[in-house]
Amino acid sequence: MQENFTDNQLVELINDGKYEYLQFLISRYMPYIIKGAGRYNVSGLDIEDFIQEGVLAIFSAVKSFNDDKASFKTFVCLCIDRAMSSALARASGAAKHIPDSLISPI
């Protein structure tokens, strides 16, 4: 039955408090998340971290979606890409800022 709902209909149902539809929306975009996680996985972070960022991006996209500006698919894909890119930037930045007290001489 949920296969018949459009993304916009699912977003509306979720925002009306019917959170059981969120899982269906996540499963609809999971192939995109997994593909994106594979692209970003060269950094050394676990692929599960990128998948988690993608799933959280879907929830955030549902909450902030405005159908006057773009389709949900376009918006959520942009949110997923940005979330994964931000996770990569945070991980890269964290490695650069190791306190001197934690570095031991060779």
Side-chain angles (χ1 to χ4, degrees):
M1 173 95 175
Q2 292 135 343
E3 297 87 21
N4 299 331
F5 288 125
T6 66
D7 289 349
N8 287 6
Q9 289 171 326
L10 288 171
V11 168
E12 190 175 319
L13 287 167
I14 294 164
N15 283 328
D16 287 341
K18 297 178 180 162
Y19 295 109
E20 62 271 15
Y21 291 100
L22 183 61
Q23 183 59 43
F24 184 74
L25 196 60
I26 290 169
S27 65
R28 185 176 283 182
Y29 286 97
M30 190 55 74
Y32 184 82
I33 291 172
I34 291 171
K35 184 178 177 184
R39 282 193 318 261
Y40 286 104
N41 197 32
V42 295
S43 68
L45 288 175
D46 287 335
I47 196 167
E48 291 86 12
D49 292 334
F50 288 107
I51 291 172
Q52 181 179 8
E53 289 293 331
V55 171
L56 291 173
I58 290 175
F59 185 72
S60 176
V62 166
K63 291 297 180 189
S64 59
F65 177 63
N66 181 349
D67 63 353
D68 293 336
K69 296 183 179 182
S71 70
F72 182 75
K73 182 175 183 174
T74 300
F75 183 67
V76 76
C77 289
L78 180 64
C79 290
I80 291 168
D81 291 339
R82 285 183 178 171
M84 289 184 188
S85 179
S86 294
L88 179 61
R90 283 191 308 273
S92 299
K96 293 180 185 176
H97 301 293
I98 299 173
D100 291 336
S101 63
L102 296 177
I103 298 174
S104 59
I106 297 177

